[in-house]
């Protein structure tokens, strides 16, 4: 497609939709600062020329979270900038509907990115989870308020507080995803869903989405809470241990 070159995304523009594949295979498609900037560039395109969006992940994973090494280096100022939350809110407010096709892990920031989409469709191995408190932070890019809206307060607290992961079956039962389909048909079914929406009136879809997406107090509250946690030693210790354990695992290979 015309426009910027991408290092962390595969981007395909069609007549009525844009297909974006998160592509950091060396890091389970973890959401890095560069990926955030490149997704902002995609939002630029979709705001200038509104189209449907299909968002998916490369390989057998959607996104295994945010880049922990980058999060470790972030402090209060970065939290208040809302690096991830501002992007995800921008995705949420794109003019036309967005669909996340999820198979494999959608954890942390990856889960929150999928929550920002209007509709999610899952493969059989999809797993949604928010393990941020285990790293000394909160799910500060939308999960604390989007997830209760999507699945209800009880299930959201099971995920956010008790560390429960929602597999594909549980996600379907909770209403988080519209359907669970075989992995080999995931993109085909996601495109069929977009095809149905594309047959509707684009202005009607756009205005319906505006009415449904009423503004709230977020993401300011998320950013303020995250700013406190980002400055804490607990967050630094937990993320350092995570990275050290990951490095030891690599050294054994």
């Amino acid at each position: 497609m015309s426009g910027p070159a991408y290092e962390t995304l595969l981007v395909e523009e069609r007549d009525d939709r844009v297909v974006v594949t998160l592509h950091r295979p060396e890091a389970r498609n973890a959401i890095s600062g560069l990926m955030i900037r490149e997704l902002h560039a995609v939002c630029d395109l979709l705001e200038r020329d509104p189209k449907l969006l299909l968002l998916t992940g490369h390989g057998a994973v959607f996104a295994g979270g945010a880049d922990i090494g980058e999060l470790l280096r972030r402090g209060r100022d970065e939290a208040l900038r809302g690096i991830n939350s501002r992007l995800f809110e921008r995705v949420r407010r794109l003019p036309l509907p967005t669909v996340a096709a999820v198979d494999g892990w959608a954890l942390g920031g990856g889960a929150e990115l999928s929550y920002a989409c209007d509709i999610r469709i899952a493969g059989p191995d999809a797993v949604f989870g928010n393990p941020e408190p285990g790293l000394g932070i909160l799910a500060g890019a939308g999960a604390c308020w989007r997830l209760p809206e999507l699945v209800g307060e009880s299930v959201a607290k099971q995920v956010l507080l008790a560390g429960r992961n929602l597999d594909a079956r549980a996600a379907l039962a909770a209403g988080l995803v519209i359907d669970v389909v075989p992995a080999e048909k995931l993109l085909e079914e996601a495109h069929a869903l977009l095809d149905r929406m594309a047959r509707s009136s684009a202005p009607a879809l756009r205005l319906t989405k505006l009415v449904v997406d009423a503004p709230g107090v977020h993401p300011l509250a998320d950013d303020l809470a995250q700013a406190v946690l980002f400055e804490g030693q607990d967050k630094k210790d937990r993320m350092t241990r995570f990275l050290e354990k990951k490095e030891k695992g690599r050294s054994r290979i």
Side-chain angles (χ1 to χ4, degrees), residues 210-249:
L210 281 172
V211 171
V212 173
D213 290 343
V217 298
H218 305 281
L220 178 59
D222 309 58
D223 296 341
L224 290 172
Q226 193 75 296
V228 174
L229 293 168
F230 266 10
E231 289 295 301
Q233 186 62 41
D234 187 51
K235 166 253 190 182
K236 296 181 177 67
D237 292 342
R238 287 171 177 269
M239 290 191 176
T240 298
R241 287 196 299 269
F242 176 91
L243 293 171
E244 289 174 347
K245 182 178 179 181
K246 184 177 181 181
E247 189 60 33
K248 287 179 182 177

Side-chain angles (χ1 to χ4, degrees), residues 24-31 58 61-65 105 107 242 246:
R24 292 188 69 212
E26 76 287 354
R28 295 198 307 171
N29 302 330
I31 298 173
H58 174 76
V61 63
F62 182 74
W105 295 105
L107 299 178
F242 176 91
K246 184 177 181 181

